[in-house]
Structure formats: C-alpha cells, structure tokens
Amino acid sequence: MSSRAHRSARHGRRSRRGLRIPVIAAGVATVAALGAAWAGTQALRSPGSTAASAAASASASVEAQSRTELAPGTVFVPPADPSSAPATPSASAPAPPAEARGSAGASPSPAGSKPGPAAAAPAAKREPAASAPKTTAKAAFAPGYDSAADGQQALDAALRAAAADGKQVLLDFGANWCGNCKAADKVFGQPATNALLNDSYHLVKIDIGSQNSANFSILRKYSSGGGSYKMPVLIVLSPPGTVRTDTHQSGNPALTADGLGSFLRQWS
C-alpha cells in the first residue's frame, strides 16, 4: 500500500508540474506580444515628431547662428511665412453704372404727356484770372528712421506722387544704430546730393532695425529672399512700382558725395 501511495503522490506532482509549464509559457508569450505592440506603436509615432522637433531645433540654431555672426551694419530678415500670406479675395460682379441704375428705377412717361419746360441755357464761363507760376518747394532732408512710421502708407503716397510727376521712388531701408546709414544720411543731407534727390526722387526711409515685421514684408517684396542684409538697402522703383535696381543684389555704392551722387544720377 505504501508503495502505491508513493507512486500516486509522485504522479500527482508530475501532473501539476506539467500543468504549470504551459501556463508560464503562455504568460511569457503574452508579455512578449504586448511589448512588441508597444514598441511598434512608438515606432509609428516617433518618426514624425522626431523629424518635426529636429527641423525646428535646426531652424532655431541656424537663425541664432545667423544673428550672432552678423557683420556690422547688417540685419537678419527671416524668410516669409507661407501660412501668413493673405487669402486672395473672390471676384465679384461690378456694380452697374449710376446711369443704368437711375434709368432702371425711373418709371416710363405715360403716352401723350407733355414735355417739360426747356432747360435754361448755361451761363457764360468766366475766364480765370492769370496766376503766378507755381514753384515746387524742396523738402528738407530728415536723417534717421522713424520706427513708429507706417512704411506701407509712406510708400503708397510716394507711388501716387510718382505716378503724377514721373519721378522715381527711392526706398532707403536702414536702422538708427547703423553706422553706414548715418554716413549715407550725411551725404543725402548735403546741398548737391539733396538737390538730386528732390529733382528726381520721392525718398521713403523705412526702419528695419527695430525688427518690424511689416517693414520686413516690404523689404522682402522688393528684394527677394531673406537672411542677412547689408544696410542701407537702396531700392529704386519706377512710377508704376517696378524695381529698377536693388543694392542688396548689386552692392552699395560708395557712401560718399561722388558715390551716392553717381548712383542717383544713373537711376534718375
């Protein structure tokens, strides 16, 4: 009896061990499957976010490096943000002329009605008295750059004046802390150079030293690209607003009476 009992006990222990092994193996397989699924999810999520963060950090480092390595008299202008471009307005049908609106709203005259009285003859026009010829007052040159001025409004006014008198528009982008801009201002204020300005140009001075994004947009519109600009940036526009020359592309003339005078005479 004792030997049978021992054999039964040993058989029971082996059966229990046989049951434990599949359970443990199943648990290990489940943990491994969960780990693989988690790793796959992370792999799917990480490339986009990693690429975006890497691009952002690379852009920030390039911009920071550009700002810290600027030469004296230059300013960093970031490139335009495509997402900030204004939407193109949809075209709408033009309004009918006033005469058409008036005739459409008027009721027809009944048949057989008598015409109204004839209009009186216009009075004779008086000839204007002869006046003295007009003299164009020369504007005094104002050095420096007004950081509070509306650059676009000043540019629009200059283009309107140029369309009326045929002069060119000279855009002068600079900063009050820029030594080259101060040197150019001294020459522009000299009588001979100032006479050239007044005779042939409408001068618009636009501040880009105070990081004004609106003024940066004007600069990018007439001088393509972005990055480092050596100041002053002088751009000559024709009366219709076409760029004739841009010193960001061609290089500045000598900031002397001869250099700036030759530049003004060339593009007048």
Side-chain angles (χ1 to χ4, degrees), residues 182-264:
K182 294 178 181 179
D185 275 355
K186 288 182 180 179
V187 177
F188 284 145
Q190 294 175 3
T193 312
N194 194 24
L196 283 173
L197 277 174
N198 284 319
D199 290 343
S200 303
Y201 294 91
H202 294 286
L203 176 64
V204 181
K205 296 173 70 66
I206 299 178
D207 174 51
I208 56 174
S210 58
Q211 304 297 308
N212 186 312
S213 59
N215 291 347
F216 281 166
S217 297
I218 301 173
L219 176 58
R220 283 192 298 262
K221 178 180 178 180
Y222 294 103
S223 183
S224 61
S228 178
Y229 284 79
K230 184 177 181 181
M231 298 181 291
V233 181
L234 303 176
I235 300 176
V236 176
L237 304 180
S238 63
T242 304
V243 175
R244 299 189 62 206
T245 188
D246 169 17
T247 60
H248 179 58
Q249 306 294 335
S250 63
N252 270 333
L255 303 179
T256 61
D258 290 339
L260 287 175
S262 176
F263 175 83
L264 294 175

Side-chain angles (χ1 to χ4, degrees), residues 15 64 226:
S15 299

